């Protein structure tokens, strides 16, 4: 793995188009978690159902102009929270600024996310390998921020069957990917018990 130093932080290249910025958000993790709590008072976390009828172990909410949802009808982005009928909470300025800085540091200047999916993992929750392909435009990268308990990230290839590499993601770590890696399979291994109650993941996307 190659490493270079930008403003005191190591940027690791997982593969072309995919970068891991360890500790990039570490200095503001507490403030980010406070914003998550505030968003959750407006749009509570909920465990959604997949089109196949399975309830996800990860609880989700969103902020920004569009939110990612799943139900029996499919995966999609919606401008409103289906549980309340209200628009998703605004994307906090701090979120947007962090996503822009991280994208730029990883080589994707000009990222303009219109959606932030917020995942909450408690002990035992996991996300099976998937591709992120519900966005209109795969030219934009995805910026993913880990907060709270550590997790093992599974980084696969372009085919579902490719054996994934495993990365430990700690609070404050940011993963950015796009370009040739934009449609790689990825997931999160079952969250272990730890020193805290949960892991949050903020995933910024350009959905429209
Ligand atoms: C997670 N992340 O880290 C799940 N998708 O909780 C994702 O599914 C993901 O981290 C696309 C890009 C970055 C991600
Ligand atoms: Fe994903």
């Amino acid at each position: 793995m190659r490493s270079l130093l930008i403003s005191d932080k190591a940027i690791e290249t997982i593969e072309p188009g995919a970068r891991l910025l360890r500790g990039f958000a570490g200095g503001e993790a507490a403030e980010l978690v406070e914003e998550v709590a505030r968003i959750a008072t407006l749009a509570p976390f909920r465990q959604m159902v997949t089109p196949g009828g399975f309830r996800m172990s990860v609880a989700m909410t969103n902020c920004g102009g569009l939110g990612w949802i799943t139900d029996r009808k499919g995966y999609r982005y919606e401008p409103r929270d289906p549980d309340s009928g209200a628009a998703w909470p605004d994307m906090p300025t701090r979120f947007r600024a962090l996503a822009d800085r991280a994208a730029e540091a990883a080589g994707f200047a000009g990222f303009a996310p219109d959606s932030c999916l917020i995942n909450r993992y408690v002990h035992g929750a996991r996300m099976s390998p998937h591709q992120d392909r519900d966005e209109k435009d795969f030219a934009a990268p995805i910026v993913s921020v880990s907060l709270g308990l550590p997790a093992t990230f599974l980084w696969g290839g372009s085919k579902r069957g490719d054996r994934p590499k495993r990365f430990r993601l700690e609070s404050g770590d940011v993963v950015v990917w796009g370009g040739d890696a934009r449609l790689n399979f990825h997931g999160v291994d079952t969250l272990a018990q730890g020193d805290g109650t949960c892991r949050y993941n903020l995933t910024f996307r350009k959905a429209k």
Side-chain angles (χ1 to χ4, degrees):
M1 207 178 286
R2 278 196 311 130
S3 244
L4 64 156
L5 283 175
I6 291 190
S7 57
D8 211 26
K9 304 285 182 203
I11 298 186
E12 295 171 20
T13 297
I14 297 173
E15 68 173 66
R19 292 196 168 70
L20 171 50
L21 287 58
R22 288 200 202 270
F24 193 85
E28 56 178 326
E31 289 83 358
L32 295 167
V33 170
E34 267 174 44
E35 291 284 10
V36 169
R38 195 181 55 74
I39 289 163
T41 65
L42 302 167
F45 282 99
R46 80 291 307 263
Q47 288 171 266
M48 298 188 215
V49 174
T50 65
F54 295 100
R55 193 161 292 278
M56 297 184 78
S57 59
V58 177
M60 299 179 171
T61 186
N62 290 276
C63 64
L66 290 167
W68 185 88
I69 65 163
T70 173
D71 59 19
R72 292 304 302 238
K73 288 181 272 178
Y75 304 130
R76 63 196 180 277
Y77 285 92
E78 290 284 358
R80 293 180 172 275
D81 179 346
D83 283 5
S84 67
W88 296 106
D90 288 338
M91 192 184 297
T93 311
R94 180 185 290 281
F95 280 23
R96 177 66 202 266
L98 170 62
D100 288 358
R101 271 190 287 118
E104 179 155 14
F108 297 98
F111 183 42
D114 53 15
S115 178
C116 176
L117 169 66
I118 308 173
N119 296 142
R120 184 184 67 192
Y121 297 71
V122 296
H123 165 234
R126 63 186 290 272
M127 187 160 317
S128 45
H130 63 277
Q131 296 171 295
D132 284 24
R133 52 182 317 149
D134 302 315
E135 301 73 31
K136 285 230 165 64
D137 177 6
F138 298 142
I142 292 181
V143 171
S144 164
V145 179
S146 292
L147 299 167
L149 288 177
T152 301
F153 193 60
L154 307 172
W155 173 257
S158 59
K159 294 190 294 293
R160 185 178 291 281
D162 296 340
R163 173 193 281 274
K165 291 180 195 151
R166 302 168 69 86
F167 291 89
R168 184 179 165 90
L169 295 182
E170 310 253 9
S171 191
D173 290 351
V174 178
V175 182
V176 180
W177 76 74
D180 290 345
R182 179 60 180 74
L183 290 174
N184 273 219
F185 281 86
H186 58 278
V188 176
D189 206 351
T190 309
L191 197 82
Q193 222 134 21
D195 194 14
T197 55
C198 63
R199 167 179 185 259
Y200 296 112
N201 171 255
L202 316 178
T203 321
F204 296 91
R205 295 100 185 269
K206 186 175 180 304
K208 218 167 38 192

